[in-house]
Amino acid sequence: MTEFERVLVHSFNTFIEEKGIRAISYRLKQHRFTPQFLDVLVDSLNPDYYLGIECKSISVEKGANALYFSQHFTVDKKGAHQIQRISDYLNKSGRRGYLAVELRFGAGKGRKAYMIPWEELKKRFLAKELKFTVREIQEFPEIKREGKNYRIEPLEWERKET
């Protein structure tokens, strides 16, 4: 589990507890030969909080200028792309899906994270537009920091910033 995933799960559980929501956020333990559909899951009877989140982290400091579907996502032995596998899982499970992207800017410059609705990712993938530039990522709602945690606002993440 990456630090980004750990902090996101902790932030969700803090939010859930503070708001008195019947829900839980967790990360399934990943086994070497068992596929993991998503990095962070949130279970709740409330559909606003029944979520599946894939997490990606890219280093802008080291020159990354985009999140590439060929480089940052996997293809399984059967040739199924990770975006298609996750899309199928989200469709079957009924979860709302998101891609959480952490941009790392280097020592002393902090990190910023953004939440992209999975439907945006799926549309782009199906249209063969196989990347999101850093600038495009930053047009989506930011997951703002509060100390070491993130401020969780699932109802705001559906609204793309312009």
Side-chain angles (χ1 to χ4, degrees):
M1 179 183 323
T2 69
E3 182 65 19
F4 179 44
E5 293 165 8
R6 185 176 293 110
V7 171
L8 200 55
V9 167
H10 183 266
S11 298
F12 261 105
N13 284 324
T14 299
F15 167 80
I16 288 165
E17 187 175 320
E18 287 173 355
K19 301 291 185 188
I21 299 167
R22 291 184 61 199
I24 187 168
S25 177
Y26 57 97
R27 172 131 172 16
L28 294 174
K29 184 173 173 84
Q30 189 170 2
H31 299 284
R32 188 172 176 179
F33 298 108
T34 305
Q36 173 197 358
F37 288 106
L38 289 158
D39 293 320
V40 176
L41 297 173
V42 182
D43 286 344
S44 177
L45 291 175
N46 182 333
D48 289 337
Y49 305 111
Y50 189 55
L51 310 173
I53 302 166
E54 179 64 20
C55 298
K56 299 294 181 189
S57 184
I58 60 175
S59 177
V60 177
E61 172 199 27
K62 293 182 181 176
N65 58 11
L67 178 79
Y68 294 95
F69 295 177
S70 60
Q71 177 183 346
H72 295 102
F73 292 87
T74 62
V75 175
D76 69 13
K77 294 176 188 175
K78 298 176 184 174
H81 194 278
Q82 186 178 11
I83 293 174
Q84 189 57 52
R85 294 191 317 266
I86 292 172
S87 296
D88 290 345
Y89 174 80
L90 291 170
N91 184 50
K92 289 176 183 176
S93 71
R95 292 179 190 273
R96 283 193 311 149
Y98 293 94
L99 175 67
V101 182
E102 178 186 56
L103 302 178
R104 300 186 318 272
F105 294 98
K109 296 180 184 173
R111 301 165 184 223
K112 289 192 172 189
Y114 299 87
M115 198 62 88
I116 302 173
W118 195 262
E119 286 303 312
E120 296 286 332
L121 189 80
K122 187 177 166 184
K123 275 191 252 176
R124 188 163 290 204
F125 178 74
L126 293 174
K128 306 275 191 242
E129 298 172 27
L130 303 179
K131 69 178 180 182
F132 277 103
T133 67
V134 169
R135 178 180 282 156
E136 289 171 326
I137 292 167
Q138 291 172 319
E139 291 174 3
F140 287 93
E142 183 178 353
I143 315 168
K144 301 214 185 283
R145 296 295 293 238
E146 285 184 345
K148 292 184 178 183
N149 290 327
Y150 288 102
R151 186 174 33 191
I152 302 301
E153 301 175 310
L155 300 178
E156 297 299 314
W157 296 337
E158 284 298 315
R159 297 185 202 126
K160 184 175 177 183
E161 294 179 354
T162 54

